[in-house]
């Protein structure tokens, strides 16, 4: 009775003093209120047998203590003995853990990171066993078990075997050394280079915890628009300090390599990848790095793109450049990730086609520790974009997926847009490269063309804001990205469910409403920003807000007018044979989906076709009316989100409730702005009215054209 | 018994789940553990009678609830009736509060911000009454009462009357619109302009709470190196949103005005302050601002200094410029704060003298809503600097003090340096302008020359770091500055004591040790950076670390060699009649203190004199040996701080303990760096050895000269 009372008091008090500022992400570990569950979880975490004493196992222990104290009001007792009555046993198979043939079979194929969690009976009492082949696999298993508790699952009978589908699960930080973040919308960089290596910010540790909890195992610390200073000795000591923090969490550090570093910090006159001095410089640099960071992951390189230096300056190929770096890191099992996001100045062909034309001819020429990293689509992380034609087209080269978690084109930090549906759409799309079912996922997981190296990278949305991501719901994109890296077959719905429960509440009413908000949010955003295949019509530079009218940029493919091609006859980019023929880069079966106006999925209609304003859509509406319909629906659906959220007030803390409410209000304003600005502008070509049933724009096109955002964030 | 048990459990649990990340500053409200005090405070906050329902009174109520729940585990009950058994009565005198003649007399002279707190007996029970003449005065009184509890003072018998000695108590934020902070060492600007006005960050509210708790009543939101964009309509709406947040806390918003704004955002061809169009533009701009922010404080201006535009471009005086703006804001009771920190390019005279020469002739020409803001010293916020000769020299103009809270020259964010002793040293220094006792404090509080306008400004050290100020102890400088604005007669010791108790712990052992660390820290920093009156010998641009050797800057007064003038004969800047004669700007009695080498206080020796290396100091050591002694003592005293802090581990939370430990370790490295670099460099002139009893530098002068910090923070 007394014990029960204390538990209840505990729960109330913890709930009361908890500061819900978002810093704790999905690792809040709020008290379990359901008595049955609480009892069951308390029992499960009462006595824990832990095998091993590595830094990783220390982390395992700390996390269990933290979670148990916070969720259950109980401090577990730990033992190293396995032959006992421990309620939870955590250990690598073989060493000291004894287990039946079932368990041995379970972890046979779990590799270096997979794990098994089973319940069994020991001495008449229920026991949970977490096992795997490495310490880090055990950490992953523990986070899985904790997730079951955070989401209030029954743990009486579990039999889980989980192995990551992808080997490299990376975050790419576009963080500059001056702490600005390119396309960052959550304050400044969390890397406080000035105070490193002497000062280890608690954030570094919590960053590692959060990433380990979702399976991220690598981080590229700095911007692909690179600065060579990161490779100088004073900075490598700082990088080492971070690597040391991350290592116990199974996270390797990578750096971007500025191709001209041998000139800028090496004192050489050239960066020609076939020059012996240059090659030696990189070899010595790699040696220097690995001497202090033995498990350094490798280099990420953006070369000959948007002003970055590269091998083409010396009339060498991307393969020459990548292979030189690959040779430098090969002795240490390092890898080189070479970005395919290239488009040359003054190249008159459709930008859509350029990466393919540059890279397909190089297939087979890359060393075996090189991966080519491809953005999900051929243009640039658009709200809705067909998958990149390179997927399936380079069979001899392991391709790494590059997604954007940071919402450069998808609402930045003011919009609730859950990106898992976008990720899934791309991963599930069929390249038809080896017949039906040759999905992008199978290309990048290495299964289609037998590549050992495989992985996904997400451009991080993390910054110095207290809640890490600016928008409370932006945390869901970090979460979902990591979980999809581990297993891309998981449903958007499942991941939203998990994240909501851990981040906010397990109340079913709350989950029901907010999950629907999340799942619909991406389509809503597409509707009010880029419906029917429109793309790249945002403001120049900062990419904030609509600016389809821009046509004064020095390079044609920087201008929105290049992409929508609206004129008196219609709107859209003809990428079929009668136009740029970019569609020819896709496999025939894929082409077939989009080649005809009549059969092309309408979400890609204006991506591939220039369509007359009066064209009849599937809805029966004209194209113009459909455009109006989509734009108005998008904005109206944001209004609906606002109403739904307002009804959630009683379920969660006041602080985050108000944050989201304010942000949804901004999002609605922005949706109306996109809608009105785009329709008023396109109307000058269609010469058709916005149908009378809609509230007409209350501002003029000139008003929208006159808006300027000199200090919009993320534009470095 | 049961109640008691609950209270104890509560305290333990709150302590346990509290995240000590520094965000809560000195408003942590940790649970009171002392049973007697707890009982007494619980009684005092049991039933609270609150008069009035303004936004400020809502804030009063919220703060009392928060503090009471957190410190006492008790939610107060509130009433509006005064004739009752309330333990605490809060109300303005007169309206509904009845009180004896004593109380009436108490608040007679407390003005708009002062308050009285007394204990009396009502209906046989003890009652605390907080009263004043405005709602904000009541808020100040409540924070005072809460401070008594936080510092665990006996509240059985209190009789406090407190009135601010200064009218304007401002923070100057050198924050840019792109969120970089000039001379900021705690991340980026807390003002998220992009998301304003729609998104009110919780930080804005907590910023206001923290400032109100120490009496700050104004904030200049943006950098004195100003951008006119802040004065455009879209930004004024954002400024209004902040002003609305701050208003209930008694904080007015001010902006810096870029002098050339009429050209840059007004479309005019000139910014000549005597041009009628220009004058009209500012009048309309003021009208526009006051229409949406009726209590807008006014403008702060840096003109004709370091590249900023100003009236001198039009052959007008600073008075012409200031008066034009003063006329614009006068109808709304706004003020203009005009900075005296000017030094012209290509002016060959000692920079020390320039502000005086520019401004003294203008005394009497400024409108009565103009204040001239003067840095504490004539050079630039040096670690140790005589007070500015302008204090006392402009009798007809109200002078505003400008201190730096941000530690530009005093260790930035890696050093524990408590600045209250510096502030006090300046405020207590005697100008002798009206005879003995004409202290700087009396100049700036208006009492010496009968000015109604008076105040102090501190350049803020606040940024987006979770703990606001980067270094946990840097919070103490924000705190002490505010408290000294309220009452500059308070001792550094008292304020350190208060701050430590509220921020860390009331344990006497902890207080004893750490207070001594704080009180000695500024002298320690002076010793290892700028002993004996050395100044401005830091790195160029970022001002990080020592660089006394720099002599290649385009303007002479930007070079450290200009300031130390070391040569084969000696070191120091002769500012007496045989040199620049800057000393003549001081009043004769002040001059007398410093004019002779033999009698000049040694902390200012090299400030005013060029002294031979072999000169015999008061210690009996030669100047060179004394220099070595001071530098070595400074570094050794940091080592001592490290040892003292290590002994504090058991008294406070692990997170902040480790933060400070790491930072002290960095500070020690930096102290050794300063010591070695400076001594190795000055040794090339003195040709004397570093005495053998000291550990000799293990690096060469060239090593130190070769250090570069391309991304040192705060250098915008």
């Amino acid at each position: 009775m007394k014990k029960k009372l204390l538990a209840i008091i505990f729960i109330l008090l913890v709930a009361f003093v908890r500061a819900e500022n978002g810093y704790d992400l999905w690792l809040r570990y709020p008290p379990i209120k359901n008595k049955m569950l609480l009892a069951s979880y308390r029992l499960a975490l009462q006595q824990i047998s832990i095998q091993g004493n590595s830094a990783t196992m220390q982390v395992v222990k700390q996390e269990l203590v933290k979670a148990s104290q916070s969720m259950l009001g109980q401090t577990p007792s730990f033992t190293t003995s396995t032959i006992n009555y421990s309620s939870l046993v955590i250990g690598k198979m073989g060493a000291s853990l004894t287990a039946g043939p079932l368990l041995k079979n379970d972890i046979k194929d779990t590799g270096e990171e997979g794990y098994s969690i089973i319940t069994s009976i020991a001495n008449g009492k229920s026991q949970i066993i977490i096992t795997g082949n490495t310490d880090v696999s055990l950490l992953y298993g523990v986070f899985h078990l904790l997730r079951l508790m955070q989401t209030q699952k029954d743990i009486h009978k579990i039999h889980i075997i989980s192995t990551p589908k992808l080997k490299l699960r990376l975050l790419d930080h576009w963080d500059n050394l001056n702490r600005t973040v390119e396309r960052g919308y959550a304050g400044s960089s969390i890397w406080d280079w000035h105070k490193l290596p002497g000062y280890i910010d608690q954030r570094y540790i919590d960053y590692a915890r959060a990433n380990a909890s979702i399976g991220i195992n690598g981080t590229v610390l700095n911007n692909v628009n690179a600065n060579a200073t990161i490779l100088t000795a004073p900075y490598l000591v700082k990088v080492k300090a971070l690597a040391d923090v991350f290592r116990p969490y199974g996270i390797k550090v990578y750096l971007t390599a500025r191709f001209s570093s041998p000139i800028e910090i090496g004192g050489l006159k050239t960066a020609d990848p076939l020059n012996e001095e240059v090659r030696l410089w990189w070899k010595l640099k790699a040696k220097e790095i690995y001497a202090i960071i033995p498990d350094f992951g490798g280099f990420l390189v953006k070369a000959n793109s948007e002003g970055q230096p590269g091998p083409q300056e010396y009339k060498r190929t991307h393969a020459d450049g990548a292979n030189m770096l690959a040779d430098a890191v090969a002795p240490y099992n390092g890898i080189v990730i070479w970005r395919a996001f290239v488009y040359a100045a003054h190249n008159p062909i459709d930008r859509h086609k350029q990466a393919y034309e540059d890279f397909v001819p190089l297939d087979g020429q890359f060393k075996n520790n090189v991966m080519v990293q491809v953005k999900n689509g051929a243009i640039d992380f658009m709200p809705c974009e067909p998958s990149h034609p390179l997927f399936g087209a380079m069979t001899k080269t392991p391709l790494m997926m590059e997604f954007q978690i940071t919402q450069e084109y998808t609402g930045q930090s003011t919009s609730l847009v859950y990106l898992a549906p976008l990720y899934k759409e791309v991963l599930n799309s069929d390249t038809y490269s080896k017949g039906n079912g040759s999905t992008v996922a199978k290309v990048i997981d290495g299964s289609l063309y037998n590549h050992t190296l495989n992985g996904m990278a997400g451009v991080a949305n993390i910054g110095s804001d207290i809640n890490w991501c600016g928008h409370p719901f932006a945390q869901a994109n970090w979460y979902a990205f990591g979980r999809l890296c581990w297993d891309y077959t998981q449903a958007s719905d499942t991941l939203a469910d998990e994240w909501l429960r851990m981040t906010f509440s397990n109340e079913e009413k709350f989950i029901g409403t907010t999950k629907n908000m999340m799942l619909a949010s991406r389509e809503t955003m597409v509707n009010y920003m880029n419906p029917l295949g429109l793309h790249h019509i945002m403001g120049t530079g900062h990419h904030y807000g609509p600016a389809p009218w821009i046509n004064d940029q020095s390079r044609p493919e920087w201008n929105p007018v290049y992409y929508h091609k609206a004129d008196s006859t219609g709107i859209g980019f003809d990428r079929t044979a009668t136009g740029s023929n970019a569609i020819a880069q896709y496999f025939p079966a894929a082409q077939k989906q989009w080649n005809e106006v009549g059969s092309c999925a309408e979400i890609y209609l204006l991506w591939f076709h220039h369509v007359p304003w009066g064209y009849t859509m599937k809805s029966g509406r004209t194209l113009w009316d459909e455009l109006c319909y989509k734009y108005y629906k998008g904005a109206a659906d944001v209004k609906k989100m606002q109403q739904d959220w307002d009804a959630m007030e009683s379920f969660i803390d006041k602080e985050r409730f108000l944050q989201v409410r304010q942000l949804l209000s901004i999002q609605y304003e922005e949706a109306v702005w996109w809608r009105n600005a785009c329709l008023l502008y396109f109307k000058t070509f269609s010469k058709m009215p916005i149908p009378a049933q809609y509230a007409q724009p209350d501002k003029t096109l000139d008003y929208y054209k006159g808006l300027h955002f000199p200090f919009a964030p993320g534009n470095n």
Side-chain angles (χ1 to χ4, degrees), chain A:
Chain A
M1 172 62 201
K2 204 172 147 194
K3 222 171 166 182
K4 221 170 171 179
L5 178 72
L6 290 187
I8 293 165
I9 293 166
F10 179 87
I11 285 159
L12 291 173
L13 294 181
V14 172
F16 164 67
V17 290
R18 178 177 292 280
E20 291 290 8
N21 57 18
Y23 181 83
D24 292 334
L25 297 161
W26 49 87
L27 299 176
R28 289 163 59 245
Y29 300 129
I32 305 290
K33 291 178 193 169
N34 179 307
K35 284 178 199 170
M36 298 280 284
L37 282 175
L38 180 61
S40 147
Y41 296 170
R42 282 176 158 241
L43 215 57
L45 295 191
Q46 203 151 43
Q47 179 165 314
I48 304 177
S49 162
I50 286 204
Q51 312 304 315
N53 199 30
S54 66
T56 299
M57 295 316 287
Q58 295 297 324
V59 163
V60 164
K61 220 162 153 174
Q62 283 161 22
E63 198 68 29
L64 283 165
V65 170
K66 189 182 175 77
S68 183
Q69 288 179 336
S70 182
M71 281 197 291
L72 315 176
Q74 163 183 289
T75 304
S77 64
F78 289 98
T79 167
T80 54
S81 158
T82 52
I83 307 161
N84 59 26
Y85 302 96
S86 291
S87 51
L88 173 61
V89 179
I90 302 166
K92 282 185 284 190
M93 184 56 72
S96 56
L97 190 66
T98 57
L102 175 71
L103 201 51
K104 277 187 188 144
N105 195 50
D106 274 3
I107 65 151
K108 183 161 55 71
D109 301 319
T110 53
E112 293 190 357
E113 299 183 301
Y115 54 84
S116 157
I117 311 176
I118 62 159
T119 36
S120 73
I121 303 295
N123 300 305
K125 289 176 75 175
S126 181
Q127 189 175 54
I128 297 176
I129 300 171
I130 301 180
T131 187
N133 294 312
T134 64
D135 286 355
V136 167
S137 72
L138 302 178
L139 177 62
Y140 289 146
V142 166
F143 273 120
H144 191 136
L145 178 66
L146 292 176
R147 184 163 62 239
L148 295 178
M149 294 183 180
Q150 290 167 280
T151 54
Q152 309 203 349
K153 298 292 185 292
D154 185 348
I155 57 165
H156 279 99
K157 277 205 158 181
I158 36 181
H159 186 159
I160 292 164
I161 306 164
S162 187
T163 308
K165 291 211 184 309
L166 296 169
K167 201 166 176 175
L168 300 175
R169 305 178 298 277
L170 306 193
L171 291 184
D172 288 358
H173 289 268
W174 287 358
D175 290 18
N176 298 310
L177 298 182
N178 65 0
R179 296 192 71 177
T180 56
V181 180
E182 183 159 333
R183 312 310 176 186
Y185 309 99
S188 54
S189 171
I190 59 171
W191 316 130
D192 188 351
W193 294 111
H194 182 69
K195 281 188 187 156
L196 282 167
Y199 186 79
I200 301 301
D201 195 314
Q202 178 66 30
R203 266 205 191 250
Y204 305 151
I205 298 162
D206 292 324
Y207 168 87
R209 286 177 56 232
N211 278 320
S213 78
I214 54 174
I216 295 291
N217 67 0
T219 176
V220 186
L221 298 174
N222 58 330
N223 193 355
V224 288
N225 292 325
N227 188 305
T229 304
I230 193 79
L231 299 178
T232 60
Y235 274 81
L236 289 176
V237 176
K238 298 169 192 275
V239 173
K240 171 192 159 39
L242 290 175
D244 290 344
V245 172
F246 300 159
R247 189 170 297 111
Y249 297 88
I251 298 167
K252 283 186 184 179
V253 156
Y254 299 70
L255 293 176
T256 60
R258 186 163 162 91
F259 201 77
S260 49
S261 298
I263 301 170
E264 290 157 3
I265 60 168
L268 302 187
K269 296 224 170 80
T270 175
D272 181 348
L274 301 192
N275 176 291
E276 279 311 316
E277 271 189 302
V278 172
R279 298 175 68 81
L280 180 64
W281 188 87
W282 281 110
K283 278 184 177 156
L284 292 174
K285 185 52 72 181
K287 191 178 176 187
E288 180 188 354
I289 295 172
Y290 280 95
I292 59 169
I293 311 169
D295 57 353
F296 178 70
F299 294 124
L300 170 64
V301 186
K302 173 177 179 177
N304 294 121
S305 173
E306 299 183 319
Q308 292 296 302
Q312 293 178 342
E313 286 159 41
Y314 307 97
K315 311 232 179 288
R316 314 300 184 190
T317 68
H318 284 292
D320 294 328
N323 291 341
M324 169 189 65
L325 293 174
D327 286 342
V329 297
Y332 318 98
N333 299 314
I335 65 166
V336 170
I337 305 170
W338 195 269
R339 288 176 96 233
F341 179 68
V342 297
Y343 62 104
H346 319 300
N347 187 337
I349 73 160
D350 181 1
R351 171 170 160 190
H352 198 297
K353 298 165 70 174
Q354 295 188 36
Y356 184 101
E357 295 195 353
D358 269 22
F359 276 84
V360 170
L362 300 175
D363 194 23
Q365 295 181 28
F366 292 100
K367 300 262 172 169
N368 64 9
N369 60 335
V370 174
M371 300 185 76
V372 168
Q373 182 163 303
V374 183
K375 287 188 182 183
N376 59 278
I379 298 299
D380 193 7
F381 300 130
M382 293 292 106
C384 182
E385 186 170 9
S387 62
H388 203 297
L390 273 176
F391 294 115
M394 291 181 79
T395 61
K396 295 173 195 143
T397 311
L399 298 188
M400 180 124 171
M401 171 64 78
E402 180 174 321
F403 278 128
Q404 218 176 29
I405 308 172
T406 190
Q407 294 172 246
E408 177 177 358
Y409 301 103
T410 55
Q412 302 191 355
S413 65
T414 43
S415 300
L416 193 167
V417 179
Y418 176 51
L419 293 174
L422 185 159
Y423 304 150
K424 297 275 298 179
E425 181 179 284
V426 173
L427 292 167
N428 289 338
S429 74
D430 203 334
T431 68
Y432 297 98
S433 60
K434 263 178 120 175
N436 280 4
S438 305
T439 59
V440 170
K442 288 185 187 168
V443 172
I444 65 150
D445 75 6
S447 63
L448 206 60
Y449 297 108
N450 296 314
H451 293 298
T452 319
L453 276 180
N454 57 68
M456 294 214 296
V459 182
N461 63 348
I462 296 164
S464 66
D465 277 3
I466 289 179
N467 74 1
W468 301 83
C469 302
H471 196 306
F473 275 79
Q475 297 177 353
N477 294 329
W478 176 10
Y479 181 84
F481 171 78
R483 300 279 290 125
L484 287 172
C485 284
W486 187 274
D487 179 3
Y488 54 74
T489 68
Q490 295 177 101
S492 299
D493 182 306
T494 310
L495 299 178
D497 194 278
E498 282 178 3
W499 178 80
L500 282 165
R501 287 176 191 277
M502 294 192 282
T503 305
F504 284 108
S505 164
N506 275 284
E507 287 278 351
E508 297 303 333
K509 276 188 193 164
F510 175 81
I511 297 293
T513 302
T514 51
K515 192 159 66 179
N516 284 340
M517 282 172 63
M518 287 174 73
L519 290 173
S521 62
R522 185 259 183 153
E523 189 180 334
T524 294
M525 178 268 298
V526 170
N527 283 340
Y528 69 71
M529 279 189 191
N530 286 189
L532 303 177
L534 285 174
H535 54 286
H536 211 291
I537 56 174
M538 68 288 158
T540 294
H542 48 62
H543 298 173
Y544 176 63
W549 46 80
I550 299 279
N551 66 357
D552 60 358
Q553 298 295 296
S554 59
R555 290 172 60 165
E557 74 279 13
W558 285 352
N559 287 291
V561 297
Y562 172 93
Y563 295 96
H564 64 69
K565 300 198 189 300
D567 58 23
S568 62
T569 68
I571 182 171
F573 197 137
D574 182 1
R575 290 194 166 105
T576 67
T578 54
S580 78
N581 207 21
I583 200 169
Q585 293 181 337
Y586 291 95
F587 286 84
Q591 289 181 39
K592 226 176 131 183
Q593 306 168 94
W594 308 316
N595 209 23
E596 302 297 329
V597 175
S599 58
C600 179
E602 290 188 348
I603 55 166
Y604 299 137
L605 186 65
L606 306 182
W607 190 282
F608 286 112
H609 301 278
H610 193 264
V611 183
W613 295 109
Y615 175 80
T616 305
M617 303 290 289
K618 292 186 181 110
S619 63
R621 285 183 280 265
T622 63
L623 171 62
W624 169 253
D625 282 357
E626 185 76 6
L627 210 58
C628 294
Y629 170 78
K630 290 285 186 185
Y631 270 113
Y632 273 86
K633 177 168 167 42
D637 286 347
V638 177
K639 177 69 84 184
K640 177 73 170 47
M641 286 168 85
Q642 291 184 272
Q643 290 157 354
D644 286 345
W645 184 254
D646 281 348
M648 298 297 101
E649 183 162 10
S650 62
F651 296 109
I652 64 161
D653 51 287
K654 190 179 164 198
E655 191 166 343
R656 290 184 298 166
F657 171 76
L658 287 177
Q659 285 172 357
V660 175
R661 188 164 71 170
Q662 293 182 88
L663 290 164
L664 283 171
S665 171
I666 295 174
Q667 185 172 358
Y668 181 68
E669 281 172 30
E670 291 179 348
V672 170
W673 169 30
W674 268 96
R675 179 193 76 192
N676 290 356
C678 290
L679 289 178
L680 287 171
Y681 170 72
F682 291 133
K683 193 166 170 283
T684 64
F685 300 99
S686 78
K687 313 281 185 198
M688 293 170 172
I690 295 170
Q693 74 259 37
Y694 302 124
Q696 300 293 304
D698 59 353
K699 300 216 165 57
T700 66
L701 180 56
D702 281 342
Y703 166 82
Y704 291 115
K705 285 185 175 178
L707 295 177
H708 291 290
F709 305 93
F711 301 103
N715 183 24
N716 305 107

